[in-house]
Each structure stands twice: as structure tokens, then as C-alpha cells.
Amino acid sequence: MPGGTDQTLRPFLWRAANLYSDTEIVSRNHDGMQRYTYSEYEDRTSRLANALDEYGIEEGDRVGTFCWNHSRHFETYFAVPSIGAQLHTINPLLPDAHIQYIVDNADDRLIFVDQSLAPKLASAVADADGDEFADVEFVVMGSEESEHLEATPYESFIDGQDTDYDWPDIDEEQPAGMCYTSGTTGNPKGVEYTQQMLWGHTMATLTPQGIPMADDDVVMPVVPMFHVNAWGMPFSATAGGSKQVFPGPSPEPEDIASLIENEGVTISAGVPTVWLGLMEYCSEHEVDLSTLETVIVGGSAAPKSMIEWFDDQGVEVLHAWGMTEMSPIGSVSHLKSDLQDADYDTQLEKRGKQGLMVPGLEFKVIDENDEEIAWDGEEFGELWVRGPWVTKEYFKRPEANETDFEDGWLKTGDVVTVDEDGYIQIVDREKDVIKSGGEWISSVELENAVMAHDDVAEAAVVGVPHERWQERPVAFVVPGEGVDRGTLVPEINEMLADEYPKWWLPDEIEFIEEVPKTATGKFSKKDIREEYADQSLVEGQVPEDAAPDRD
Amino acid sequence: MPGGTDQTLRPFLWRAANLYSDTEIVSRNHDGMQRYTYSEYEDRTSRLANALDEYGIEEGDRVGTFCWNHSRHFETYFAVPSIGAQLHTINPLLPDAHIQYIVDNADDRLIFVDQSLAPKLASAVADADGDEFADVEFVVMGSEESEHLEATPYESFIDGQDTDYDWPDIDEEQPAGMCYTSGTTGNPKGVEYTQQMLWGHTMATLTPQGIPMADDDVVMPVVPMFHVNAWGMPFSATAGGSKQVFPGPSPEPEDIASLIENEGVTISAGVPTVWLGLMEYCSEHEVDLSTLETVIVGGSAAPKSMIEWFDDQGVEVLHAWGMTEMSPIGSVSHLKSDLQDADYDTQLEKRGKQGLMVPGLEFKVIDENDEEIAWDGEEFGELWVRGPWVTKEYFKRPEANETDFEDGWLKTGDVVTVDEDGYIQIVDREKDVIKSGGEWISSVELENAVMAHDDVAEAAVVGVPHERWQERPVAFVVPGEGVDRGTLVPEINEMLADEYPKWWLPDEIEFIEEVPKTATGKFSKKDIREEYADQSLVEGQVPEDAAPDRD
């Protein structure tokens, strides 16, 4: 059989550790700043691999992480997949019930957890109805034990292990990573990333059409490493031999600003909320952004005002679009060469779109009549994508696999236009998830919870634009007949607070007479948004230019 | 099974034809300049695919090309692999016997041949001993028939075919390309390129560590498209959405200069001989090289004087190293970021080396004691490489597969040092092929041919540095006892001229008393080169700075 060796992640580590042995990895850890080289990183990663072996982790086992962005988390990124196991990054901001579900669904054997997140995980463990955590053990990141969980400290876990490891040859179809996506209905759906998917994603994102990184770059992913591998940046930065900077637990704008200044960050990435925070911080403090060349904005649309602000600082904003199902990068809004001479407004309009699909992917846009739309920036339909790093199925979810995939295409659920230049723009979405500070809130789940109150006849929850968080949930409630509206609002709030994290709770609860419906009787979120967009509760809070483009 | 869709070439064409439909492909064809867009390219490629279907080419069939660099040849690059067949690019500069061997070995069903190369192919066909060409038909590039071969004109072949084609889903392990490498002994060895190998090579070469190309680039491969897919540039330029320029049959320095000027070429690639020709041309003519940004030099080492000359023009020379077995790119001599401040001589020294291995590959260097060498720029050993676009076997050559591969590693036969920065430098080679103007001449084959003369006792052929051609063969002959040396030289020359192309013939034939031998009794080429390096025949002809670094 002709063909080369399998496409796996480990040679990226080999390259960095050998060609860039002295290049630094800098991390704001729970226990202080950590600063070491790729050579030391390789040693510690090998020690972790030996520790995982000794613990009994075998090929195909799933190992969870419940962590922010830091160097120890990064060590799991290469160690776990490169021994043939699967790295399952768990989003610690999910409600307990979702955490319980996904640990059970993924059958994690071991979970690495941050000190600061141990209480949250302990709560999910304590509240578990069944045996979701029965076979799971914990390693807490750092040198200290946890007060909240029975867990081995990470430094004890790897202590005394050999700094060499005889890495096995791994099949490229071996699952190497895993991440759950929050849908609108039901439980989160797991997406597995094979070695090959992560390899292809790494290479494709390093091209000029993606997010190229080289040995003169200093790369800082602010996007959490529990969000689809921080958009793959820890892998691509390693392959490119870049210095890496990890901003640690719950980074504040001040932390981000000082890391950019002190470490000479050239490329960073995060959701708009992160950059709005930095912009606000810079308006009140003297911050030197002179090393910064590129800011990747994703998760929600990049407001034009943000692109302009960074342009003024000499920093290029690249708007990237992707999905958990796509490992995650799909398109990047590079300005095409023949638009370099266009007027600034035209350029801004193009750069604010979801962008141009990177090499290796294909897409088509299917309208309600199952026809492909014209690329005229006006017709719209559902975006379908396929490619080597686009999943073809969800993990153990046959019912979703029936509806969300067709002939190898992923039906994204996003409704888009495509203009004459090939730029994709999301104009609506079938899924009505609410994107709040880079996190997704299921509107349908909140609606169902609100409607569980006896005095509620109907309720719809939609995301409304929010300057800092992009979107916040607002509940529109039709009360039952004769209900005391004065007591209903606090009752609903109290009920939701019992079940959901604080950031899931609607900012406002408004009474309406009826929830508008579509022809098929479904709630029409689009109509709600249009009808109530100028409601006094929302009006005036949201400068138009800070709102996401999508709605 | 998780995982994305297969890695195949066709989505690169899809991307260019849709996102860059108006971007040009310009070609110096036999029948004049051709200029069309990616959109028209896709139409013609689809017509070719339909024609191949109609002709009866099926999945797995091999289709040969015997062509220079031009747009019709480029059409075969996507059409043949994307219907599931295999594109076998035949080197038209090989001796007839090699052409006969590889067409037979590859079992080509159809060969596309240039008008200018039809006489050469016709000669190989006419001289064939057996039925090597019995099942092969020919298509001649252009609108006219050939006087030399019974062949369908290309334009008639695709005439009337539909501009749409229902491209099949192709397995990434399907062989998509094929190229033969001339070894030191025996017949050329075939290397098959799967869809996946070409996909991975395309992506890896688009990274900043390779040869990045974007939509503001104008890419002109001077390296022939019969040499490992012109180093993959037609694929990577398409994936990157670049304008492409093909310099056509036997391009002279004048052709290259005018294409750079007229088409605004930004990236070009070729062997040193090409660039020496351009440098000489520029010394006598006014040539505007202002658009040119990058010149890729490969096939032989880039002389420092060449790097300096291009530096003076504001053009970056990137020295790239690869092998037919590696699809072909292995390393590129980018200057590392921490060498940006080094003095110019140090930079030149680094840039003149074979360079840094691109992401995705691994190498090791094994000395005579089977130990890995130190990376100190002094110890040396044989270079072993592996990776997703490095072949793991030769086509139908079990005996070579036994010796040239081990545990998934390709033993390159090149002897190298690696310095502290990880730059590879070839210092010698086990294979003693002679590199003449970017073509390889088998020294062993010439030796055997010379030794076939009854009056020759022993003979060794080595490559000696040559200003224009990099190397030229010189034969060192031990005559039999009492032989008339005066008549022997013309007799040998006449004998070789019957069998080999003119450019294979040794520039000089010298008499020696004995061929130096290694411990195991093999000819020691290294000793010959050292002992006779200062022979008057060679001395003085070769300015040191124009000679390859390798010897």
C-alpha cells in the first residue's frame, strides 16, 4: 500500500522540541507564573505520559480536563493523544446536569481539574443522581491537594517519572480529542477529533488563508482551551515553533494587557467580549500594544467598531468562523487582494463577515426548496460544509446523526448569504442559542424551565444584543389568566437560580400577550426579536455598532 | 467511525474556481500564449474528465504525460486524479531505455505528449524491443496532429464534452500521482503519490515554514511539471488562489525574464541552472524584477553568490530540499527569527544549507555505528526521514524496498550534518548521481557502459562542479594492458553516443592507474573526487562560488 506515515500530532511536538528547544512557553498558572522552554515542555509531557501509563490509561481511554488555559493543561494536549488516549476538554461553565451527562456519556476515566474549578466539579459530583463519576478519579492542577475533591496533585502525579517516553505509532483514525457542543434541545452532543482531523486542521489553519504562525510569533489564546482546543492554537503554534503564552484562570482585561506588553504577544484570539474588555481597559490605562499584529475574533461576529479600533492601533482583526463540529475553524475573513484598493467601508463590510472558507473545505448553501442559492449576497439558505476536519457524526447520538448530516455534509443550522466574492455571512440561525461572553445558553432549555411554572402559559427566550456580553437572555412570558404578575417574576427567577448558573439567568422577564408562531406552530424567535427589538427594556442599552451582525 | 471526509485534491480546485473564478492562468503554450481564468480552467478540466471517461479511463488506471509546463498539462493535474485515475508524469529527458522501462512498469494506458517532444517519444516507441507501448495510445497537446506519432489532438479529444462533471468521492489512499526517480543502479524507481500524500504536501508547503502562497501571489514554476509535480506548486498555488504562470516548452532566460515582467510574477522556482541563466541575461539586458519576492532554489544547493545577487535585487532566495520520494519538499532554509540579527555571512551560511524540516515531518541522522549524531554541524551520518507525504515503498521494486526503508523511515542516502539550530546540510551522498542542469545522470550506469568496452579494465564516473550545469560527468578509466589510449577515447564516446542522450556523455575521459576502493571493495567516489579534484581538466573551469555546496 503506498502512502506516508499516519498523520498524528506528535511530530509537531518533536519539531518544536528539537528546532525550537529554547523557545519559551509562559503561563499565568494558579500557583504563579510559569516560564519554561519547549525542551522542558517535552520533558514534562513525557513525564505525564509515563504517569498516565503507570496509572493505567490505555489506548482509546478518555481523559478529561476541567481547566483554564495554562501550561499544565497544555501538557495534557500532547501527552494524552500521543499515548493513544483521547483528550476530552470539559467546559466548566456548563450547568451541573450537563457536566454529569457528558462525563457519563464520554466515560472519562481520569479528570484533570483546576484548583479554582474544583468546587464547581465537586458540586457536579455531589449532585450526581447516578454513578456518573463512579469510575472517575481526579488530578488537581498544581502541587497542593484540593479541599473540595479527593484528587492527586499534578506535580505528585508526574513526580519521579522519566523524561523520555517511547511514543507509539498511532493510527491517524484514532480519536485524539473530544468536545461537547451545546445544542438548542436536549443534552450536549459530543464531537470526537481523530488524530487526522487535528493534523489537517493544524496544517490548514497555518496557511495564509487561515491563521499563519511562525517562529517570530508570540501566540496567546484567550479563547478557553475547553472550547474546541482553543481553536487549535496550541497545536498550530507548536507546529509553527511560536512562543506561547497562556493567560490562566479567569483572565481579566488587566491580565491580558500585561501579558501582551510583557511577553510581546503578536497573535491573540478570543470572543468579542474579551476584546471589548481590553478596549475599555485601554481607554483608562496606558497599554503598549505595539507588538500585537493580529487579533482573531470568533464565537460571535466582530463588531465593526472593534475592527476600526484595532485598525487605529495598527492591529489587524481577523474574524474567524467555525463550529465545534469543525475542529473548529471553517472560514477566516481575510481581505481579498482585489479588495485592497476598495474604500474603507467596503473593506469593513467584508472583514465583518464570516469570511472565506479555508483550503480543504467545501460548502454549499441550500434554500427552502433544496436548491443551491446564488452568490449575490442576498439569497440565503442553510450552510452545509464538509472536509477532512469536519465531523461526520456525533458521539453516541444516532438521532442527531439522522438529522444533522447528509451525504457526508454537516448541516450547520446557520442561515447565510454568500456574496460575489465568496464571503459567507450568517444572517440568522435555526438554532437559537444565546451567545453570552463566548458561552452558549440554550434558549429552549430556559423556555422549558420557565414554562414549568404553573402560572406561565407560554414563554420564549431570545438573546438580545448586549454591549459587553454580545447577547443576554430575555424571557418573554405569557402569564396564565388572573395570575399576579408582581409575584410571578421573582418566583421564576428563584426557580431558575436553583437549576442554572447565574450567568444563564435572563436579564429581564417581560410579559407579552402571545408568543408569535410560525406557520407550523413553532415559536418564531425571529418575529419576537423584530417585534420586541425596540422594547424599552432593551432600547438604549445597546449601541448599534457593538451588537453582533447576526441578528 | 469518527473522522472527516477524505483528503483529496479536488476541493482545492473547487475553492479556486469559486472564490477566485476571475483569477488568471497564463501559459506559454506551443501554439502561442494562452490566458484564461480559474473558472474556464475548471470548465476545461471537466471537459477533459468527461473525455477520459469516454475514452474508458477508469479508477486506478495510469495516465502518462510527456510534457513541459503549460496550461493543458495543468488541466491533467486535476482532471486525472479527480476521476480516480493516476497521473504519471514522465521525464522526457530520460534515455529511451528508461522511458520504455517506466511506461511498461507503470502500465500507462494513455500518454499526453507535447508537439515538441513527440519525436523523442516516437523514438522510444520505435526502438522498443517488446510490447511496452502495445496498449498505449497518445494525445498530442494542441489542435494539430503529430507528424511523429499517431495521436489525437488534445483539443479534439476534449471537444464537445460537457463543462460539468459529477466528480466522485475518492478514497484518500487512492494513488493520484506517480513519478520515477533515477537511482544510481538499475532502472528508475516509481514513487506513487496518494491523494492524501499530495493533500498533506500541499497544506504543509503552504505554511510559513514552507512556501506560502496567497491570492496576491503570481506563481511561476520553472521547475518542470515532470519533476515531482513541479514541487507541488500547481496544487499549492491553486489551493492558495494564486495567479499561475506556466513558462512552456524549453524556456530560455529571455522567456523567464519577460514572463516575470509581463505577468508580475511574485514567486518562482527552479534549479540553480535556471537562475544562473537569468542572472546572466539580466547582466546584459534591462529586466524589471520588482514584482518578484521569492525565488525557490532546489535540486542542487543554492550558491551563495546567487543568494547575494538576488538579495541585491530585493528578492529572497529560499533554498528548498526534497526528494521524489517526499512529494518532494522536505526542508526549506528559512532564516530563524533569532538569526535575523546575525551578521550577513552567518545568515548566508544558514540560508545556503538544506534548511529546516517543515512541520509534519521527522528526521534522524544515523552514523556508521547506527547511532544518532549530535546536532553540532560537524558529526555526520545518513539522513532518515518519515512523514505523511514520504513514501514507504517503491512501486513493484521489492529489492529496493528491502534496502531503502526501515520501520517506516526512508533512508535518503544523503549524508548530512545538523547544526545547533537544526539546519540540515548535505555533505556527501551515498548515491553518486550526477546533477546536470537539474537532471540526474546515473554515474553507475555510465560506468557500466564504459566498462562494457573490451579495452577498459575499470572505470568510475563522477560529477565535477560546472558553472552553468552544476555538475558534469567525467569518466576515469583504467585501460586494459597494452591498449592504444589514442583510439580508446573516441571509441568510448561513440559507443556511449549510440545509447545515451548527448547531455549524458562525459565531458572528459581521463586515464588513471587504478580506481580507489572502499574497505568493502566498492568504488570510492569520494576518494576519486578528492584525489582528482585538482586535475588540470577540471581546475580553473569552476569558480568556487558557483559550485554546489554538497561536494
Side-chain angles (χ1 to χ4, degrees):
Chain A
M1 201 67 186
T5 53
D6 284 50
Q7 295 174 346
T8 63
L9 296 169
R10 198 194 41 72
F12 299 141
L13 169 58
W14 174 87
R15 186 176 190 273
N18 285 280
L19 297 189
Y20 299 99
S21 54
D22 295 334
T23 296
E24 282 183 325
I25 293 159
V26 180
S27 180
R28 178 175 162 269
N29 286 4
H30 288 75
D31 48 356
M33 291 295 287
Q34 183 156 18
R35 182 182 296 274
Y36 57 45
T37 64
Y38 271 117
S39 180
E40 291 166 279
Y41 171 75
E42 187 189 39
D43 285 350
R44 284 178 59 87
T45 300
S46 298
R47 286 168 60 196
L48 174 56
N50 281 308
L52 290 166
D53 269 4
E54 189 175 304
Y55 179 80
I57 297 296
E58 294 182 356
E59 187 171 306
D61 281 349
R62 269 175 288 274
V63 174
T65 62
F66 201 85
C67 300
W68 291 102
N69 295 13
H70 51 70
S71 52
R72 293 187 184 100
H73 198 181
F74 181 43
E75 289 161 14
T76 70
Y77 263 51
F78 274 98
V80 173
S82 298
I83 67 169
Q86 188 173 359
L87 185 75
H88 170 206
T89 53
I90 306 167
N91 183 341
L93 304 180
L94 291 177
D96 287 355
H98 286 188
I99 294 168
Q100 289 153 2
Y101 171 81
I102 67 179
V103 169
D104 189 46
N105 186 250
D107 198 17
D108 293 321
R109 288 206 49 205
L110 186 67
I111 296 177
F112 291 87
V113 54
D114 279 355
Q115 282 289 3
S116 65
L117 296 169
K120 168 76 177 165
L121 184 56
S123 148
V125 172
D127 292 348
D129 289 336
D131 56 358
E132 294 92 334
F133 293 91
D135 302 322
V136 187
E137 296 196 25
F138 303 102
V139 174
V140 62
M141 291 307 202
S143 310
E144 309 292 327
E145 297 192 350
S146 167
E147 294 172 21
H148 307 278
L149 274 172
E150 192 179 313
T152 309
Y154 184 87
E155 294 302 327
S156 309
F157 189 71
I158 68 169
D159 186 45
Q161 296 292 347
D162 198 337
T163 56
D164 279 324
Y165 187 88
D166 186 19
W167 303 103
D169 288 336
I170 292 174
D171 192 301
E172 63 197 9
E173 301 207 11
Q174 176 73 34
M178 186 178 210
C179 190
Y180 281 74
T181 179
S182 315
T184 46
T185 53
N187 281 312
K189 290 174 284 189
V191 177
E192 293 192 284
Y193 308 118
T194 63
Q195 291 273 355
Q196 182 177 28
M197 287 168 76
L198 297 179
W199 191 95
H201 183 268
T202 301
M203 287 298 190
T205 54
L206 279 178
T207 66
Q209 293 73 39
I211 308 161
M213 299 175 194
D215 64 356
D216 54 355
D217 279 311
V218 180
V219 177
M220 178 170 73
V222 182
V223 51
M225 290 168 74
F226 53 77
H227 272 180
V228 203
N229 305 319
W231 303 345
M233 292 177 85
F235 296 127
S236 48
T238 304
S242 307
K243 174 178 170 181
Q244 297 191 50
V245 178
F246 294 102
S250 315
E252 292 296 320
E254 181 182 356
D255 302 314
I256 291 166
S258 77
L259 286 169
I260 291 172
E261 279 190 328
N262 297 339
E263 303 302 333
V265 170
T266 63
I267 301 177
S268 190
V271 296
T273 304
V274 165
W275 306 119
L276 290 169
L278 180 68
M279 287 159 65
E280 192 180 317
Y281 183 82
C282 287
S283 72
E284 293 159 9
H285 302 80
E286 190 77 20
V287 181
D288 179 5
L289 299 180
S290 61
T291 62
L292 196 60
E293 295 168 8
T294 308
V295 155
I296 314 295
V297 178
S300 305
K304 283 180 187 170
S305 59
M306 182 181 292
I307 299 176
E308 288 180 293
W309 186 86
F310 277 107
D311 276 346
D312 287 344
Q313 319 297 315
V315 179
E316 182 187 23
V317 167
L318 278 181
H319 182 207
W321 170 83
M323 296 175 72
T324 304
E325 291 84 344
M326 299 176 73
S327 306
I329 303 283
S331 58
V332 183
S333 233
H334 287 282
L335 197 62
K336 290 175 90 166
S337 63
D338 56 4
L339 291 166
Q340 299 291 347
D341 297 328
D343 61 84
Y344 188 62
D345 283 346
T346 304
Q347 293 187 348
L348 272 186
E349 187 205 328
K350 298 288 183 181
R351 292 170 64 199
K353 294 189 177 192
Q354 274 65 33
L356 303 169
M357 208 62 84
V358 300
L361 297 181
E362 289 174 288
F363 72 88
K364 59 183 179 181
V365 182
I366 304 296
D367 70 14
E368 55 194 0
N369 302 314
D370 288 336
E371 301 283 338
E372 288 199 42
I373 63 158
W375 287 22
D376 59 5
E378 295 190 359
E379 288 188 27
F380 56 83
E382 187 185 18
L383 177 63
W384 293 24
V385 294
R386 67 174 177 187
W389 59 92
V390 181
T391 192
K392 288 190 294 193
E393 64 176 21
Y394 293 110
F395 183 67
K396 298 186 196 164
R397 292 292 287 271
E399 87 296 348
N401 292 341
E402 287 272 315
T403 56
D404 293 0
F405 300 91
E406 194 170 317
D407 294 336
W409 294 89
L410 166 70
K411 297 148 96 170
T412 66
D414 279 319
V415 176
V416 305
T417 60
V418 185
D419 67 22
E420 298 77 0
D421 290 305
Y423 287 84
I424 295 165
Q425 181 165 29
I426 296 179
V427 292
D428 204 346
R429 45 197 161 171
E430 296 186 352
K431 301 172 183 173
D432 283 294
V433 292
I434 297 157
K435 297 191 166 179
S436 176
E439 297 298 323
W440 283 19
I441 296 169
S442 166
S443 60
V444 174
E445 192 162 346
L446 281 181
E447 282 161 13
N448 291 339
V450 173
M451 287 192 285
H453 193 290
D454 288 341
D455 290 343
V456 172
E458 274 185 339
V461 176
V462 301
V464 296
H466 187 280
E467 185 164 20
R468 178 163 168 86
W469 301 107
Q470 263 53 65
E471 287 186 345
R472 291 294 305 150
V474 168
F476 294 89
V477 171
V478 181
E481 270 184 58
V483 164
D484 180 351
R485 298 184 175 198
T487 59
L488 184 54
V489 169
E491 280 175 29
I492 291 174
N493 276 329
E494 196 175 324
M495 200 178 72
L496 294 177
D498 280 343
E499 207 170 342
Y500 293 99
K502 198 173 167 200
W503 62 275
W504 270 53
L505 306 185
D507 279 15
E508 304 288 345
I509 296 178
E510 253 210 284
F511 292 107
I512 54 177
E513 294 314 306
E514 193 190 348
V515 175
K517 312 285 193 311
T518 65
T520 56
K522 291 179 185 169
F523 288 359
S524 174
K525 299 284 180 72
K526 195 158 170 270
D527 288 344
I528 297 172
R529 278 189 289 263
E530 281 173 11
E531 195 167 336
Y532 297 96
D534 56 359
Q535 280 285 329
S536 61
L537 287 168
V538 180
E539 193 178 36
Q541 297 181 2
V542 189
E544 201 191 345
D545 64 355
D549 280 336
R550 351 194 348 162
D551 288 312
Chain B
M1 201 67 185
T5 53
D6 284 52
Q7 294 173 346
T8 63
L9 296 169
R10 198 195 40 74
F12 300 141
L13 170 58
W14 175 86
R15 185 176 191 275
N18 286 281
L19 298 189
Y20 298 100
S21 54
D22 294 335
T23 297
E24 283 183 325
I25 294 159
V26 180
S27 180
R28 179 175 161 268
N29 287 3
H30 289 75
D31 48 356
M33 291 295 287
Q34 183 156 18
R35 182 183 296 274
Y36 56 45
T37 64
Y38 272 118
S39 179
E40 290 166 278
Y41 171 76
E42 186 189 38
D43 285 350
R44 285 178 58 88
T45 299
S46 298
R47 286 168 60 196
L48 174 56
N50 281 307
L52 290 166
D53 267 4
E54 189 175 303
Y55 178 81
I57 297 298
E58 293 181 357
E59 187 171 306
D61 281 349
R62 270 175 287 276
V63 173
T65 62
F66 200 85
C67 301
W68 291 101
N69 295 12
H70 51 69
S71 51
R72 293 187 184 99
H73 198 181
F74 181 42
E75 289 162 14
T76 70
Y77 262 50
F78 275 98
V80 173
S82 299
I83 67 169
Q86 189 174 1
L87 185 75
H88 171 206
T89 53
I90 306 167
N91 183 342
L93 305 180
L94 291 177
D96 286 356
H98 286 187
I99 294 168
Q100 289 153 2
Y101 170 81
I102 67 178
V103 169
D104 188 45
N105 186 250
D107 197 18
D108 294 320
R109 287 204 51 203
L110 186 67
I111 296 177
F112 291 86
V113 54
D114 278 356
Q115 282 289 3
S116 65
L117 296 169
K120 167 76 177 164
L121 185 56
S123 148
V125 172
D127 292 349
D129 289 336
D131 56 359
E132 293 92 334
F133 294 90
D135 301 321
V136 187
E137 296 196 25
F138 305 100
V139 174
V140 62
M141 291 305 201
S143 309
E144 308 292 326
E145 296 191 351
S146 167
E147 294 172 20
H148 307 278
L149 274 171
E150 193 180 313
T152 309
Y154 184 88
E155 295 301 327
S156 307
F157 189 70
I158 68 169
D159 186 45
Q161 296 291 347
D162 198 338
T163 56
D164 280 323
Y165 187 87
D166 186 20
W167 303 103
D169 289 336
I170 293 173
D171 193 299
E172 63 196 9
E173 301 205 11
Q174 176 73 35
M178 186 178 212
C179 191
Y180 281 74
T181 180
S182 314
T184 47
T185 53
N187 281 311
K189 291 174 283 190
V191 177
E192 293 192 283
Y193 307 118
T194 62
Q195 291 273 354
Q196 182 178 28
M197 289 168 76
L198 296 179
W199 192 95
H201 182 268
T202 301
M203 287 298 189
T205 55
L206 279 178
T207 67
Q209 294 72 39
I211 308 161
M213 300 176 193
D215 64 357
D216 54 355
D217 280 311
V218 179
V219 177
M220 179 171 73
V222 182
V223 51
M225 290 170 73
F226 53 78
H227 272 180
V228 204
N229 304 321
W231 303 345
M233 293 176 84
F235 296 127
S236 47
T238 304
S242 307
K243 175 178 169 180
Q244 297 192 52
V245 178
F246 294 101
S250 315
E252 292 296 320
E254 181 182 355
D255 302 313
I256 292 166
S258 76
L259 286 170
I260 291 172
E261 280 190 326
N262 297 338
E263 303 302 333
V265 170
T266 63
I267 301 177
S268 190
V271 296
T273 304
V274 165
W275 306 119
L276 290 169
L278 181 68
M279 286 160 64
E280 192 181 317
Y281 183 83
C282 287
S283 72
E284 294 159 9
H285 302 81
E286 190 76 23
V287 181
D288 179 6
L289 298 180
S290 61
T291 62
L292 197 60
E293 295 168 8
T294 308
V295 156
I296 314 295
V297 178
S300 305
K304 284 181 187 170
S305 58
M306 182 181 293
I307 299 177
E308 289 179 293
W309 187 87
F310 277 107
D311 277 346
D312 287 344
Q313 320 296 314
V315 179
E316 181 186 23
V317 167
L318 278 181
H319 181 208
W321 170 83
M323 297 175 71
T324 304
E325 292 84 344
M326 299 176 72
S327 308
I329 303 285
S331 57
V332 183
S333 233
H334 288 281
L335 198 62
K336 289 175 91 165
S337 62
D338 56 5
L339 291 165
Q340 299 290 348
D341 297 329
D343 62 83
Y344 189 62
D345 283 346
T346 303
Q347 293 188 347
L348 272 185
E349 187 205 329
K350 298 288 184 181
R351 292 170 62 198
K353 294 189 177 192
Q354 273 64 33
L356 304 169
M357 209 62 83
V358 300
L361 297 181
E362 289 175 288
F363 71 89
K364 59 183 179 181
V365 181
I366 305 297
D367 70 14
E368 55 194 358
N369 302 316
D370 288 336
E371 301 282 340
E372 288 198 42
I373 63 159
W375 288 22
D376 60 5
E378 296 190 359
E379 288 188 27
F380 55 84
E382 187 185 17
L383 178 63
W384 293 25
V385 295
R386 69 175 176 186
W389 59 92
V390 180
T391 192
K392 288 189 295 195
E393 64 176 21
Y394 293 111
F395 183 67
K396 297 186 196 165
R397 290 293 288 270
E399 86 297 347
N401 292 340
E402 287 271 315
T403 56
D404 294 359
F405 299 90
E406 194 170 317
D407 293 337
W409 294 90
L410 166 69
K411 297 148 98 169
T412 66
D414 279 319
V415 175
V416 306
T417 60
V418 185
D419 67 22
E420 297 78 359
D421 290 305
Y423 287 83
I424 295 165
Q425 181 164 32
I426 296 178
V427 293
D428 204 346
R429 45 197 161 173
E430 295 186 352
K431 301 171 182 175
D432 284 293
V433 292
I434 298 155
K435 297 190 168 181
S436 176
E439 297 298 323
W440 284 18
I441 296 170
S442 166
S443 60
V444 174
E445 191 162 348
L446 281 182
E447 282 160 12
N448 291 339
V450 172
M451 287 193 284
H453 192 289
D454 289 340
D455 290 342
V456 171
E458 273 184 340
V461 176
V462 301
V464 297
H466 186 281
E467 184 165 22
R468 178 163 169 86
W469 301 108
Q470 263 55 63
E471 287 185 344
R472 291 294 305 148
V474 168
F476 294 90
V477 171
V478 182
E481 272 185 55
V483 163
D484 178 352
R485 298 185 176 199
T487 58
L488 184 55
V489 170
E491 280 174 26
I492 290 174
N493 277 328
E494 195 176 323
M495 201 179 70
L496 294 177
D498 281 342
E499 207 171 339
Y500 294 99
K502 198 173 167 199
W503 62 276
W504 268 54
L505 306 186
D507 280 12
E508 305 286 344
I509 297 177
E510 254 209 282
F511 293 108
I512 54 177
E513 293 313 306
E514 195 189 346
V515 175
K517 312 283 193 314
T518 65
T520 56
K522 292 180 184 170
F523 287 359
S524 174
K525 300 283 180 71
K526 195 158 170 270
D527 288 343
I528 298 172
R529 278 190 289 263
E530 280 173 11
E531 196 165 336
Y532 298 96
D534 56 358
Q535 279 285 329
S536 61
L537 287 168
V538 179
E539 194 178 37
Q541 297 181 1
V542 187
E544 200 191 344
D545 64 355
D549 280 337
R550 352 195 345 164
D551 286 313

